[in-house]
């Protein structure tokens, strides 16, 4: 009998170090998988914070008395969107999101009903045929934990907008 076969049988039956080999093979996969879960959850969390901010800013602006000082309402609405506070200089909800990234558009919809193109539903009704609507929107450049760019996916921009019917003037 050839001596190499007994060595191979002995090697095949020996289990010492098997756990080390298994961990060496599995650990990189688990680390990348775990990092991917953290990165994806960070993206979703940032998106939700940006959407909440845009919604809060639109709600404030829709109820603000724009007749006295339109620019002040716009400034406070942007501050609320980004920081959650009416005053300037607060901490942003998401790192790197600035007041300058928020856009507020105030328009009059001259139609009795405004139909949402995607769903076909009526968003607003008015007996006068005029509905004032504010749209707060933003584009946020996601910086994240770095795995996204490390994997070579490029820049990620999170966009959000919210329409709110204006109450009052």
């Amino acid at each position: 009998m050839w001596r190499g076969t007994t060595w191979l049988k002995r090697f095949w039956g020996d289990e010492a170090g098997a756990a080390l080999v298994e961990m060496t093979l599995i650990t990189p996969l688990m680390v990348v998988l775990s990092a991917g879960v953290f990165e994806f959850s960070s993206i979703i969390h940032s998106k939700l914070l940006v959407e909440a901010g845009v919604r809060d800013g639109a709600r404030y602006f829709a109820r603000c008395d724009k007749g006295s000082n339109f620019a002040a309402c716009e400034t406070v609405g942007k501050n609320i969107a980004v920081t959650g506070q009416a005053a300037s200089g607060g901490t942003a909800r998401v790192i790197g999101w600035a007041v300058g990234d928020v856009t507020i558009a105030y328009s009059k919809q001259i139609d009795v009903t405004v139909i949402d193109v995607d769903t076909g539903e009526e968003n607003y009704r008015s007996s006068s045929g005029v509905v004032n609507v504010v749209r707060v929107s933003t584009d946020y450049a996601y910086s994240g934990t770095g795995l996204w760019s490390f994997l070579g996916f490029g820049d990620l921009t999170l966009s959000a907008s919210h329409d709110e019917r204006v109450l009052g003037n």
Side-chain angles (χ1 to χ4, degrees):
M1 193 184 242
W2 185 55
R3 193 161 224 216
T5 11
T6 57
W7 178 83
L8 185 60
K9 285 182 185 177
R10 195 172 27 149
F11 179 75
W12 190 261
D14 190 8
E15 293 185 15
L20 178 64
V21 171
E22 290 172 1
M23 283 302 296
T24 303
L25 294 173
I26 296 299
T27 300
L29 177 67
M30 292 305 295
V31 167
V32 170
L33 184 64
S34 298
V37 167
F38 286 122
E39 183 76 23
F40 184 72
S41 64
S42 177
I43 292 170
I44 296 298
H45 185 251
S46 297
K47 175 73 172 167
L48 291 174
L49 287 175
V50 167
E51 286 177 348
V54 167
R55 184 182 60 242
D56 292 347
R59 286 180 178 170
Y60 170 80
F61 191 82
R63 287 155 184 81
C64 184
D65 181 15
K66 290 165 281 306
S68 60
N69 194 347
F70 187 85
C73 287
E74 188 174 12
T75 301
V76 172
K78 288 180 177 185
N79 287 337
I80 288 175
V82 174
T83 65
Q85 302 173 8
S88 299
T91 304
R93 297 175 194 241
V94 183
I95 295 172
W97 193 25
V99 173
D101 298 334
V102 178
T103 304
I104 296 180
Y106 182 72
S107 64
K108 293 184 179 203
Q109 305 290 333
I110 304 175
D111 195 353
V112 175
T113 57
V114 179
I115 310 271
D116 187 343
V117 182
D118 296 329
T119 63
E121 297 176 0
E122 296 177 1
N123 289 335
Y124 309 108
R125 291 180 184 260
S126 173
S127 59
S128 68
V130 176
V131 176
N132 297 327
V133 177
V134 63
R135 170 173 277 195
V136 177
S137 58
T138 189
D139 290 324
Y140 167 69
Y142 175 77
S143 57
T145 61
L147 181 67
W148 185 265
S149 58
F150 176 75
L151 294 175
F153 290 124
D155 295 336
L156 178 65
T157 301
L158 303 176
S159 298
S161 67
H162 183 78
D163 293 342
E164 192 77 22
R165 182 178 186 163
V166 175
L167 300 176
N169 47 340

